[in-house]
Amino acid sequence: MTLAEAPAERRPELVVGVDFGTLSGRAVVVRVSDGAELGSAVHPYSHAVMDRALTAGPAALAGAPIELPPEWALQDPQDYLDVLRIAVPAALEAARAAHGVDAHDVIGVGTDFTACTMVPTTADGTPLCWVDRFADRPHAYVKLWRHHAAQLQADRINTAAHARHESWINRYGGLISSEWEFAKGLQLLEEDPEVYAAMEHWVEAADWIVWQLCGRYLRNACTAGYKGIYQDGAYPSRDFLAALNPDFAGFVAEKVEHEIGQLGQPAGMLTAQAASWTGLPAGIAVAVGNVDAHTTAPAANAVEPGQMVAIMGTSTCHVMNSTELAEVPGMCGVVDGGLVDGLYGYEAGQSGVGDIFGWFVDTAVPADVVAQAETRGLGVHEYLTALAAEQKVGEHGLIALDWHSGNRSVLVDHELSGVVVGQTLATRPQDTYRALLEATAFGTRTIVEAFQRSGVPVTELVVAGGLLKNRLLMQIYADVTRLPLSTIGSDQGPALGAAIHAAVAAGAYPDVRAAAQVMGKRTVAAYPPNEDDARIYDQLFAEYTLLHDYFGRGANDVMHRLKDLRRRVLTVGRPAAVLAEVTS
Amino acid sequence: MTLAEAPAERRPELVVGVDFGTLSGRAVVVRVSDGAELGSAVHPYSHAVMDRALTAGPAALAGAPIELPPEWALQDPQDYLDVLRIAVPAALEAARAAHGVDAHDVIGVGTDFTACTMVPTTADGTPLCWVDRFADRPHAYVKLWRHHAAQLQADRINTAAHARHESWINRYGGLISSEWEFAKGLQLLEEDPEVYAAMEHWVEAADWIVWQLCGRYLRNACTAGYKGIYQDGAYPSRDFLAALNPDFAGFVAEKVEHEIGQLGQPAGMLTAQAASWTGLPAGIAVAVGNVDAHTTAPAANAVEPGQMVAIMGTSTCHVMNSTELAEVPGMCGVVDGGLVDGLYGYEAGQSGVGDIFGWFVDTAVPADVVAQAETRGLGVHEYLTALAAEQKVGEHGLIALDWHSGNRSVLVDHELSGVVVGQTLATRPQDTYRALLEATAFGTRTIVEAFQRSGVPVTELVVAGGLLKNRLLMQIYADVTRLPLSTIGSDQGPALGAAIHAAVAAGAYPDVRAAAQVMGKRTVAAYPPNEDDARIYDQLFAEYTLLHDYFGRGANDVMHRLKDLRRRVLTVGRPAAVLAEVTS
């Protein structure tokens, strides 16, 4: 008897989670009773990331796309709607084909999004890039999280915040990112005041997509707190904004401020139009918006205080709940209800993790190792990992700093760079590879210890994301942190987490914590620490910390000076004045 | 008219230089009047380096060669005689065929040898390994310079020398090497007292080969000083030796002490037997023995005070004359007449240079770069060099320490290891390669500055050796040291230098300095420093020095601790006691 053949009263309730990533959107159909994932589908964005030219708009259609300056990263919001129109019906069809379930049994839909990704809109939520007169204006498009062209604005925000002793600055480890709402908004004002003036709402894409689904604009507590500097019921003051730029004084009141919804609450009901796009029943619950890393925590059933969830991919994002409010040095932020309602949600991060391993494999592994991997039918990462796994801890004689992409937590310094100490003529690729794996584990331990020292206990490390598949890496993290390392039981964590929020919004569970316990999936202590190895790692971590503090806390600012020199000598043409400066 | 057809009185005088290297010997026939190299030949040693098993002797002949412990490196002296028997006649034949010159016109023969390479002999110079009852005793064979199994003995020599404030220890930068005469001799005594007792002379191979040529044993001033601790007319005292081991008290008096010959003097005349081996005329002058690096200085016509000769290959050896006697911290040694009679000869060195570049190419260059090099018909070194040469100074944003093989001068610490600071996800192989080239140049500048600071001026850098062919490397050295960089005009510098000594020994020139001016070859200031680049390198050298002193002078002994940990975890079987120590 298939599920479809079961009597109507026994047909299982379903929810749909939709995860909006950097390059594509993914929908997953989930059973409310146990979190089983019954079907999923992915839709890649047609415009992907526009970081060299504006490939949407009339100019692009006419074959003359507008070039973008360095560090820009835009998206076209039409691509997000296409995910609703294509991936959601495809996921429903996959679930029907595999399990015989029916779209009519879906009781709620939830979403998660990259952040901080910002959409400038009219009063009714129409993106300004869809307004004819702005369709060729880059500033009218969506600024993706990794749009990094507002660094000068971010620098001014930070300088002013510290100069004025703004109370909120230490809720963000002392630094507001160029990626966030205020820096991007200030850039918009200063570079295209006409678009800024026409903008009625400066909307997180996480909230914009919910607006499209239920017709109601509600800011979610997660991005409002982490990216929108909303703390203790207030945003930065008009005075502060005016100090940045007199024309920016009304930014909060006129562009940002709006009703806030708590995570897991319903934002509204699915509109008829959204029902026609998705194939979902009109009128079902639509959950308040959320962020990918933050929905992963309930997906791993890891939302209790002390459960630190590390979403490990090209970079790592750490999120954790706590009953304590503390200013942890170098964290990305702490937000009341930022992860689940009723607890303080913390976020921290490592700028480079899988990216560093990928860089090493792409640029530093010789042909003979690649050939040996091929002979064995292994990828290069797998083969290097297998070779590295044969070593005893400490055998390679190396220590590395994992700062090839800068340091997010706890130093919050993107001018830092990588270090390898200890190479000899006997050092092999697998030795350095293992040292880099270990360096990222030391980086996580540094973050864990910053929380512990600030009075925010960490009792379990829960790993999600693509790097889960590297078993050596997982064991190293367990041994280095001396924490039981648990693993998520899903490879589509963010979408599963969005579905969990949908179930709560639909009333199937009283709150996210309760839903996570039933629908979330986690193998507890999949990798327990090995005490013998942990003791040796204590010695190596002491070496890491010595180098971390030497290079990262001002004793030797060589990394800053090297990057500064690099920028100066690369100045086009090297005019005499620049050369004089370089060599002074 | 060929040279051979010229009237007898106009036939040019010739000399022969024979260079005994690590794996082969090379003979070159040189015209006395101008140093022209008329013919040469190479003979590889049959036994090469015996570092795993004794492949000479009855046991090896019977198919059961004796295994050697780690760090051993032996040679069979018969291989040296074979060079005389094969390479010298072949070089004469090559010179005859190419230039019509005749062996009868050879007026002298000179040699140079690796050092410290030691032969234990009977009273008449017969190597003990040729004495039947010792032919299967490893300690009866030649200990090659890179026999490193006497480290424990070297450590005891150094500890005792400093404890007793021996005046000679600072003539060697504070450290006697395990490679030298005393450490190797003490090992011989303590590990095979019977061979030690039978040994009548402990002979430098540089002097043994001269003994074979002229029948007279004379210690050369160069190795006696640099390797034999002969300073101010005396060796270490009987008291000192007895403190090391009572049975070692007579080492100098009974095994080492012997008449000393100055460089460029005749040791004697070629014997009839040696004439029959070589095809040279009996009775011609045989020059006092010498060392490869030290004969290269006259070959480059660079024996005046302030001319620092860098012989750059897998490692770099620096030699320089001065009128000043000074204790330069971290030098290898200073010897009165160690380079030419009448001046103080200094020696310093870098343990890893070409070896580091080779290690990088072998282990850290990806297949696509290798393929691109092949497409262009270039070697990987050449291609990386070409890519690196496109960069501006400072562009790669990196700084490296060139200690992959430890540091000889000026830190004299083989427990140090390599460092690279500044890598990012944008760092390419040519960036790190260039940083390594630069690191070795900074290492040379560190040595140059140590001499300058000690009151020993350096005014010109003269490069010889295989790395000469890398033009980018040469320019970097000129820019980094701000010295005019001159280059030797011969690719067989040691043998040419040996031939110059032969000419002096034969009376064709009054001394080595005069002969070098005529027969030596050097392009003066082939690479003048570029002032703009030199100013940027000043900044990078300041960064190098900061890291050099941090890692090398005790502020952070992480390299020592990493090597120590590596050794401990690699202890076979990791018994519980060791583990307890490792994790304590």
Side-chain angles (χ1 to χ4, degrees):
Chain A
M1 186 175 74
T2 69
L3 290 169
E5 295 164 329
E9 63 275 18
R10 292 188 51 205
R11 274 166 45 193
E13 289 181 326
L14 307 173
V15 280
V16 170
V18 192
D19 164 48
F20 291 86
T22 297
L23 293 169
S24 64
R26 168 188 297 267
V28 59
V29 178
V30 176
R31 190 158 58 203
V32 170
S33 63
D34 62 356
E37 297 162 32
L38 306 181
S40 69
V42 177
H43 177 70
Y45 304 150
S46 303
H47 298 87
V49 179
M50 298 185 284
D51 51 8
R52 294 171 168 272
L54 195 64
T55 56
L61 274 176
I66 294 160
E67 279 189 39
L68 297 174
E71 308 289 342
W72 278 60
L74 304 182
Q75 291 196 318
D76 183 339
Q78 184 59 50
D79 289 336
Y80 308 147
L81 294 188
D82 287 349
V83 171
L84 299 181
R85 288 178 39 247
I86 297 168
V88 175
L92 289 166
E93 173 55 25
R96 193 202 58 73
H99 298 280
V101 298
D102 192 306
H104 290 107
D105 297 319
V106 176
I107 61 169
V109 58
T111 56
D112 69 271
F113 225 103
T114 63
C116 166
T117 294
M118 298 304 298
V119 193
T121 74
T122 64
D124 68 358
T126 303
L128 290 183
C129 58
W130 293 354
V131 174
D132 283 350
R133 71 179 193 281
F134 296 131
D136 272 337
R137 299 273 274 266
H139 274 293
Y141 281 78
V142 178
K143 287 189 170 65
L144 183 65
W145 66 275
R146 70 172 167 81
H147 175 94
H148 287 137
Q151 187 58 52
L152 292 178
Q153 285 79 12
D155 292 345
R156 285 158 53 201
I157 290 169
N158 288 309
T159 303
H162 286 288
R164 296 167 51 97
H165 304 289
E166 296 289 342
S167 63
W168 42 262
I169 188 70
N170 290 325
R171 295 282 175 87
Y172 301 95
L175 212 76
I176 301 301
S177 168
S178 70
E179 294 182 0
W180 298 353
E181 297 184 8
F182 281 66
K184 280 173 169 156
L186 185 54
Q187 187 200 9
L188 174 46
L189 165 70
E190 296 181 339
E191 296 184 4
D192 197 338
E194 198 182 348
V195 168
Y196 183 84
M199 174 173 82
E200 303 263 3
H201 296 294
W202 186 224
V203 186
E204 282 278 353
D207 299 325
W208 184 82
I209 200 71
V210 169
W211 196 349
Q212 305 313 302
L213 287 166
C214 69
R216 179 181 177 208
Y217 177 33
L218 207 57
R219 278 169 70 77
N220 74 82
C222 176
T223 54
Y226 289 111
K227 316 300 180 188
I229 321 186
Y230 183 73
Q231 289 286 350
D232 304 328
Y235 292 97
S237 68
R238 177 175 282 268
D239 271 4
F240 174 77
L241 299 171
L244 297 173
N245 184 325
D247 296 337
F248 202 54
F251 177 66
V252 164
E254 296 158 19
K255 317 287 187 186
V256 169
E257 203 159 38
H258 204 81
E259 186 183 353
I260 289 178
Q262 298 305 315
L263 304 184
Q265 288 184 350
M269 295 181 298
L270 196 71
T271 63
Q273 181 174 44
S276 77
W277 290 335
T278 56
L280 293 170
I284 61 170
V286 177
V288 164
N290 208 336
V291 176
D292 42 15
H294 299 70
T295 61
T296 301
N301 182 20
V303 291
E304 296 307 311
Q307 294 184 304
M308 178 175 276
V309 181
I311 300 98
M312 295 177 59
T314 53
S315 62
T316 291
C317 181
H318 308 79
V319 294
M320 185 175 71
N321 277 318
S322 179
T323 55
E324 307 301 319
L325 175 64
E327 291 177 354
V328 181
M331 67 177 167
C332 302
V334 54
V335 171
D336 188 1
L339 215 46
V340 301
D341 199 14
L343 288 170
Y344 293 103
Y346 287 85
E347 185 183 337
Q350 291 174 263
S351 317
V353 180
D355 265 354
I356 299 176
F357 313 150
W359 165 80
F360 183 79
V361 162
D362 289 346
T363 67
V365 176
D368 59 332
V369 171
V370 175
Q372 287 157 23
E374 277 171 12
T375 302
R376 287 162 178 77
L378 297 175
V380 179
H381 283 286
E382 288 174 278
Y383 181 55
L384 285 175
T385 298
L387 293 174
E390 292 171 4
Q391 298 177 25
K392 293 171 182 166
V393 179
E395 178 177 330
H396 53 49
L398 302 172
I399 196 93
L401 293 179
D402 53 322
W403 300 346
H404 299 67
S405 195
N407 179 294
R408 191 175 302 161
S409 302
V410 299
L411 297 171
V412 201
D413 186 344
H414 291 280
E415 291 286 283
L416 297 177
S417 50
V419 173
V420 180
V421 172
Q423 288 179 322
T424 71
L425 300 181
T427 301
R428 305 158 301 175
Q430 61 266 37
D431 298 327
T432 307
Y433 186 76
R434 180 169 179 137
L436 292 173
L437 299 184
E438 292 168 346
T440 68
F442 296 141
T444 286
R445 177 163 167 180
T446 301
I447 291 168
V448 168
E449 292 196 350
F451 277 90
Q452 311 266 36
R453 269 199 298 270
S454 302
V456 183
V458 182
T459 53
E460 181 182 350
L461 185 63
V462 183
V463 176
L467 291 178
L468 253 185
K469 62 178 180 289
N470 188 320
R471 297 180 57 84
L472 172 65
L473 186 68
M474 293 303 105
Q475 189 61 52
I476 290 171
Y477 271 61
D479 296 343
V480 165
T481 62
R482 264 213 183 75
L483 289 171
L485 189 146
S486 306
T487 52
I488 193 171
S490 169
D491 55 6
Q492 36 203 5
L496 173 60
I500 289 173
H501 282 78
V504 177
Y509 294 96
D511 57 29
V512 172
R513 293 167 79 168
Q517 284 178 23
V518 179
M519 298 175 70
K521 302 162 195 169
R522 162 171 129 266
T523 304
V524 176
Y527 298 88
N530 173 312
E531 182 54 26
D532 286 345
D533 287 344
R535 279 198 294 253
I536 305 181
Y537 275 131
D538 283 342
Q539 297 177 39
L540 291 171
F541 180 67
E543 302 294 356
Y544 176 89
T545 300
L546 205 55
L547 294 173
H548 176 280
D549 291 352
Y550 175 71
F551 286 111
R553 296 194 192 275
N556 185 349
D557 275 336
V558 56
M559 294 169 181
H560 286 236
R561 292 189 296 268
L562 288 173
K563 285 206 176 183
D564 190 43
L565 177 62
R566 172 175 160 82
R567 275 189 292 266
R568 286 188 287 147
V569 301
L570 283 177
T571 301
V572 181
R574 286 173 90 185
V578 171
L579 184 62
E581 187 197 355
V582 170
T583 59
S584 65
Chain B
M1 186 175 75
T2 69
L3 291 168
E5 292 164 331
E9 63 275 20
R10 292 187 51 207
R11 275 165 47 193
E13 289 181 327
L14 307 174
V15 281
V16 170
V18 193
D19 165 48
F20 292 84
T22 297
L23 293 170
S24 65
R26 168 189 296 269
V28 58
V29 179
V30 176
R31 192 160 56 203
V32 170
S33 61
D34 61 357
E37 297 163 31
L38 306 180
S40 69
V42 177
H43 177 71
Y45 303 151
S46 303
H47 298 87
V49 179
M50 298 185 284
D51 51 10
R52 294 171 168 272
L54 196 63
T55 55
L61 274 175
I66 295 160
E67 278 189 39
L68 298 173
E71 309 289 342
W72 277 60
L74 303 182
Q75 291 197 317
D76 184 337
Q78 183 60 49
D79 289 336
Y80 309 146
L81 294 187
D82 287 348
V83 171
L84 299 181
R85 288 178 38 250
I86 297 167
V88 175
L92 289 167
E93 173 55 24
R96 192 202 58 74
H99 299 279
V101 297
D102 193 305
H104 289 108
D105 297 320
V106 176
I107 63 170
V109 57
T111 57
D112 69 271
F113 226 104
T114 62
C116 168
T117 295
M118 298 304 297
V119 194
T121 74
T122 63
D124 68 358
T126 303
L128 290 182
C129 58
W130 293 353
V131 174
D132 283 351
R133 71 179 194 281
F134 296 132
D136 273 335
R137 299 274 273 269
H139 275 291
Y141 282 78
V142 178
K143 289 190 170 65
L144 184 63
W145 65 275
R146 70 173 169 80
H147 175 93
H148 288 138
Q151 188 60 52
L152 293 177
Q153 285 79 11
D155 293 344
R156 285 157 53 202
I157 290 169
N158 288 309
T159 302
H162 286 288
R164 296 167 50 97
H165 305 288
E166 297 288 343
S167 63
W168 42 262
I169 188 73
N170 290 325
R171 296 282 174 88
Y172 301 95
L175 212 76
I176 300 301
S177 169
S178 70
E179 294 181 1
W180 298 352
E181 296 183 8
F182 282 66
K184 281 173 169 156
L186 185 54
Q187 187 201 9
L188 173 48
L189 165 71
E190 296 181 341
E191 296 184 5
D192 197 338
E194 197 182 349
V195 168
Y196 183 84
M199 173 173 80
E200 304 264 3
H201 296 295
W202 186 222
V203 185
E204 283 278 352
D207 299 326
W208 184 83
I209 200 71
V210 169
W211 195 348
Q212 304 313 301
L213 287 167
C214 69
R216 180 182 176 205
Y217 178 32
L218 206 57
R219 279 170 68 77
N220 73 83
C222 176
T223 54
Y226 290 111
K227 315 301 179 187
I229 322 186
Y230 183 72
Q231 289 285 351
D232 304 328
Y235 291 97
S237 67
R238 177 174 282 270
D239 271 4
F240 174 79
L241 298 171
L244 297 174
N245 185 324
D247 295 336
F248 202 54
F251 177 66
V252 164
E254 297 158 19
K255 317 287 186 185
V256 170
E257 202 159 40
H258 205 80
E259 185 183 354
I260 289 178
Q262 298 306 314
L263 304 184
Q265 288 185 347
M269 295 180 299
L270 195 71
T271 63
Q273 181 174 45
S276 76
W277 290 334
T278 57
L280 293 169
I284 61 170
V286 177
V288 164
N290 207 337
V291 176
D292 42 14
H294 299 69
T295 61
T296 301
N301 182 20
V303 290
E304 296 307 311
Q307 293 185 304
M308 178 175 276
V309 180
I311 298 97
M312 296 176 60
T314 53
S315 62
T316 291
C317 181
H318 308 79
V319 294
M320 184 176 70
N321 276 318
S322 179
T323 55
E324 308 300 318
L325 174 64
E327 291 177 353
V328 181
M331 67 178 167
C332 302
V334 54
V335 170
D336 189 359
L339 214 48
V340 300
D341 198 14
L343 289 169
Y344 292 104
Y346 287 86
E347 185 183 337
Q350 289 174 265
S351 317
V353 180
D355 265 354
I356 299 176
F357 314 148
W359 164 81
F360 183 79
V361 162
D362 289 346
T363 68
V365 176
D368 60 333
V369 172
V370 175
Q372 288 157 22
E374 277 171 11
T375 302
R376 287 162 179 75
L378 297 174
V380 179
H381 283 286
E382 288 173 278
Y383 181 56
L384 285 176
T385 299
L387 292 174
E390 293 170 3
Q391 299 177 24
K392 293 170 182 166
V393 178
E395 178 177 330
H396 54 49
L398 303 171
I399 196 92
L401 293 178
D402 52 321
W403 300 346
H404 298 68
S405 194
N407 179 295
R408 192 176 302 159
S409 302
V410 300
L411 297 171
V412 201
D413 185 345
H414 291 280
E415 291 288 282
L416 297 178
S417 50
V419 172
V420 179
V421 173
Q423 288 180 322
T424 71
L425 301 181
T427 301
R428 304 158 301 176
Q430 62 264 39
D431 298 326
T432 307
Y433 186 76
R434 181 171 177 135
L436 293 172
L437 299 184
E438 291 168 347
T440 68
F442 296 142
T444 285
R445 176 162 166 180
T446 301
I447 290 168
V448 168
E449 292 196 349
F451 277 90
Q452 311 267 38
R453 269 198 298 272
S454 302
V456 183
V458 182
T459 53
E460 180 182 350
L461 185 63
V462 182
V463 177
L467 291 178
L468 255 185
K469 63 177 180 290
N470 187 321
R471 297 180 57 84
L472 172 66
L473 185 68
M474 293 303 105
Q475 189 61 53
I476 289 171
Y477 271 62
D479 295 343
V480 164
T481 62
R482 261 211 185 77
L483 289 172
L485 189 147
S486 307
T487 52
I488 192 172
S490 169
D491 56 5
Q492 37 202 5
L496 172 60
I500 288 173
H501 282 79
V504 176
Y509 294 94
D511 57 30
V512 172
R513 294 167 79 170
Q517 284 178 22
V518 179
M519 297 175 70
K521 302 161 195 170
R522 158 171 131 268
T523 304
V524 177
Y527 299 87
N530 173 313
E531 182 55 26
D532 286 344
D533 287 344
R535 279 198 295 253
I536 305 181
Y537 275 131
D538 283 343
Q539 297 178 39
L540 291 171
F541 180 66
E543 303 295 356
Y544 176 90
T545 301
L546 205 56
L547 294 172
H548 175 281
D549 291 353
Y550 176 71
F551 286 111
R553 297 194 191 275
N556 185 349
D557 275 336
V558 56
M559 294 170 182
H560 287 236
R561 292 190 295 268
L562 288 172
K563 284 207 176 183
D564 190 45
L565 177 62
R566 172 176 162 82
R567 275 188 294 265
R568 285 188 287 148
V569 302
L570 283 177
T571 302
V572 181
R574 286 173 87 184
V578 171
L579 184 61
E581 186 197 355
V582 170
T583 60
S584 66

